[in-house]
Structure formats: C-alpha cells, structure tokens
Amino acid sequence: MTAEPGGPLTVLGIETSCDETAAAVVRRGSGGAPEILAEALLSQIADHRPYEGVVPEIAARAHIDHLDGLIGRAMASAGLDFCDLDGVAATAGPGLIGGVMIGATMGKAIAAAAGKPFLAVNHLEGHALSACMTGQAAFPFLLLLVSGGHCQLLLVRGVGRYRLLGTTVDDAVGEAFDKVARLLGLGYPGGPAVEAAAERASDPDRFDLPRPMRGRPGCDFSFSGLKTAVLHRLHALDTPPDPHDGADMAAAFQEAVADVLTERTGNGLAMAREREPGLRRLVVAGGVAANRRLRRALEDLCAREGLDLSVPPQRYCTDNAAMIAWAGAERLALGLTSPLDFAPRPRWPLDSLEDAARTPSDGRAA
Ligand code: KG4
Ligand code: ZN
C-alpha cells in the first residue's frame, strides 16, 4: 500500500556510517510536523577505546552483530510492523564503507520484503535537517557541521537544497580534538577529555598556538598544522609534559579551535548572505557542538550578527538514526525515493543532491 499524497508518513531510519549502530522510527505529520516514535542506539565507543580511534573492521562487525536487534527494538517500541511503514531510510554514505553497506543493504532488504519505498539518505543531510526535526530551525539557515569526520559550512535553503560554502582541507575538527587528546595522553574520545582538561588549566594563555586559515578569504578550515604545533610545543618543554602542562595546552588548543571556527563561520555567513540576504539563523550540529567554549564563541558571533543560534540536543547532534529517518521522510514527501540498486558510497558531497531536489512543479534548483 502506498501513502496517501500529503498524508502522514512513518519511516524507519538506519544509521551505520561510523561507530554508532542505530535504528529509529519517525513520523512526519500531514503538515510536516516531526514526531520521533522510537529509537534504539548502541555506541561502540568501548570497542574502539583500546585503539584510541575508530577501527573500521571492528565497527563493521559490531553493526552486523547488533543492527537487526536494534531495528526489532525500535519497531517494537513504536508498536509497528514493517507493513505499517511508508518507507525505509538508511544512510548510504558518506562514511566507513563497510558499515554503510551493512545499513543500506539491511534497509533495502526490509523495503523489498515489505514492498515499501527505499530512501538512500546522505548522512550529512541527516545532520543538516536535525535541527528541523527537533523543531529548532526553519529554512534558510547557515549550518556549521563539526564532527569526527567533517568540518563544513553549508547554506541550507530547503530539503535537498544545500550549498557547500567551506570545508576542511585536511583533518575534521573532532579528529583534531581526538589526535591532540592522544598527544596529551587524555584517552578516547578526545573532545570531552580535552574540554575537561582545559577547565583544569592554571595558565590558559601560556601556549600561543597558530590560528590556521584565519584572515584568509573564504571559509575553508585547516587543523593539521594546529595539531603539529601542539606536538612541537610539547617537545620544546624542558621536562616531559605533566598534567599541568597538558591542561594548559588543552585550553590553548580549544581556544585556537573556537577562534578559527568562529572567524570562518563569520566569513561563511557573509557568503551565505550574498545568496540569501534575509538569513537569520546559525545551526551547529555534530559531536563537537557539545563543546561549551565553542558554543560561547558562537553565541557571541550570533549576538554581533543578529543571528539566532540553534544547537539540537546532544543526542541529535551526534550520529543517530532519527535524523536519517527524518531526512528520509522529507525526501519521501517530495517523492524522492531511491532505486534498490543504489550504490553505497564512502564519499558523497552534500551539494551534489541539489539536482535531485529539483521539483517537477517549479523546476527550481538551489
Ligand atoms: O558527530 P560525532 O558523534 O561522530 C562523527 O564523527 O560523526 O562526533 C564525534 C566527535 C569526536 O571527534 C569527539 O571527540 C568530538 O566529536 N566531541 C567533542 C566534544 N564531544 C565530542 N569535541 C570537543 N568538545 C566536546 N565536548
Ligand atoms: Zn555524523
């Protein structure tokens, strides 16, 4: 049975692109209102901690072991059978390809067995629409996506209408936090550990670190030089770094990151306003959005620029399946379903979706 045009849509979402295995059921009301009916998520942090980073092979095995159980739990807690769904959405990229293939194949199998449409969702589109799902944002907005795998600024004008304004030329910002945490012996995942260490700093101004890309036109980012600068400053100490040195360095690193992210976001805002002069909102998503120093810096930027700041609750900032189900429901509402031979992909730039989002009614592109 296919959904009534304009009626409510219930979609199962599957997320397996990194180290979270997750399933969720989301309903999009007939007026477009989001409702999260059920969620089940398993974080693999403990499996990867001994290696101080995500090991793709371990992640893929964990997805295989747990995904069907998590889908069963989400469906049971929503009180639904697969035949009650209007569509099945799965992350089909970008991400660790083993995991992406597992989730996409599972999604296709359920869709095929239940005779429902399949929705191949771009993981970044899930993040981009997460603040809409939590009722905190309406289009258009500037999106700062800061996670372990990404650091991007995007102009988001509507579902499928994304313009990439800037991206990292080397490491993602969360990756930089994780690498610096490793240099400081703070463990994994590094972001929360660096933030906690920074709060213990006795002299946060002691180390003067560079601000890569600051002052350059555009809004690309770079973090690998900052990480190398941390390494050099640590080597230059007279004695092996102790916890006081580590705390001061963590504070200096966090300050440098907050500084460059805020400056680049300011440039991104100017670029976004050239296309969308009435733009009034900044949305921050991704695991690094949890960082309080960064949030304060972005709050100041928003106050100066007359912007509203939206940060989805932490569980929807980090990887989750509700955002995938929601992006799937939004695509389904536009009739943008995917073929069952859709190929999962490790790389998939978000602005390549623009053509697909042209709607037959207005022929409009972003
Ligand atoms: O979005 P996410 O859960 O996973 C993906 O990478 O998709 O982001 C995880 C990243 C990790 O690199 C982690 O160190 C970082 O977010 N992170 C933080 C904080 N909490 C998590 N970085 C800085 N400060 C934090 N409080
Ligand atoms: Zn993510």
Side-chain angles (χ1 to χ4, degrees):
M1 206 178 70
T2 50
E4 234 176 273
L9 296 171
T10 305
V11 173
L12 168 67
I14 295 171
E15 163 56 36
T16 53
S17 66
C18 191
D19 59 345
E20 255 95 30
T21 317
V25 184
V26 166
R27 178 168 294 148
R28 182 186 185 279
S30 34
E35 189 187 349
I36 298 167
L37 302 182
E39 294 178 80
L41 180 142
L42 187 86
S43 168
Q44 304 169 6
I45 282 182
D47 299 338
H48 300 287
R49 185 169 281 129
Y51 308 94
E52 297 189 328
V54 178
V55 183
E57 180 67 20
I58 292 176
R61 284 174 191 273
H63 293 311
I64 288 181
D65 286 347
H66 300 293
L67 182 57
D68 57 345
L70 290 162
I71 292 172
R73 258 172 50 201
M75 293 299 295
S77 103
L80 298 175
D81 289 322
F82 292 139
C83 60
D84 300 320
L85 298 170
D86 297 301
V88 182
T91 296
L96 299 174
I97 192 62
V100 171
M101 286 170 69
I102 290 161
T105 305
M106 179 72 95
K108 289 175 182 179
I110 295 171
K116 304 294 176 182
F118 173 63
L119 301 134
V121 171
N122 182 307
H123 178 82
L124 304 176
E125 180 168 49
H127 280 300
L129 302 182
S130 57
C132 306
M133 176 184 76
T134 55
Q136 293 168 287
F139 306 120
F141 54 83
L142 177 66
L143 173 72
L144 174 65
L145 175 57
V146 277
S147 72
H150 302 280
C151 187
Q152 301 192 344
L153 277 160
L154 293 139
L155 170 60
V156 180
R157 289 160 137 173
V159 176
R161 302 182 66 210
Y162 314 104
R163 173 75 55 173
L164 181 65
L165 302 172
T167 186
T168 180
V169 298
D170 41 55
D171 294 348
V173 59
E175 189 183 352
F177 267 99
D178 294 335
K179 286 178 175 170
V180 165
R182 204 179 305 169
L183 292 177
L184 299 177
L186 293 173
Y188 174 83
V194 168
E195 180 167 11
E199 274 157 28
R200 297 191 294 270
S202 48
D203 185 359
D205 300 323
R206 181 170 146 213
F207 297 104
D208 182 24
L209 294 175
R211 273 35 178 180
M213 302 296 240
R214 192 169 68 179
R216 292 231 206 139
C219 62
D220 282 341
F221 306 88
S222 166
F223 295 101
S224 77
L226 187 52
K227 171 201 66 195
T228 309
V230 168
L231 182 66
H232 288 159
R233 299 286 197 287
L234 290 174
H235 282 162
L237 293 172
D238 297 332
T239 51
D242 64 18
H244 294 292
D245 301 321
D248 288 348
M249 186 60 85
F253 170 76
Q254 185 174 259
E255 200 58 35
V257 168
D259 237 26
V260 287
L261 284 176
T262 309
E263 194 256 1
R264 306 314 283 164
T265 303
N267 280 12
L269 176 64
M271 291 163 73
R273 280 182 166 160
E274 278 169 24
R275 291 167 180 275
E276 215 40 80
L279 188 120
R280 287 194 43 84
R281 184 171 296 276
L282 171 67
V283 173
V284 190
V288 183
N291 188 277
R292 280 165 296 198
R293 178 67 195 94
L294 174 61
R295 281 197 198 201
R296 276 204 308 280
L298 293 172
E299 277 160 14
D300 291 348
L301 173 76
C302 287
R304 285 197 303 275
E305 295 287 349
L307 284 178
D308 294 323
L309 177 65
S310 300
V311 188
Q314 189 56 19
R315 58 198 297 220
Y316 300 123
C317 266
T318 54
D319 289 348
N320 66 90
M323 70 181 191
I324 303 304
W326 177 247
E330 288 282 64
R331 298 186 81 72
L332 186 58
L334 292 173
L336 299 170
T337 60
S338 314
L340 284 178
D341 63 356
F342 188 96
R345 46 204 71 177
R347 291 179 48 77
W348 186 6
L350 189 51
D351 50 0
S352 65
L353 297 183
E354 274 186 11
D355 288 343
R358 277 173 207 265
T359 56
S361 56
D362 64 3
R364 177 185 64 178

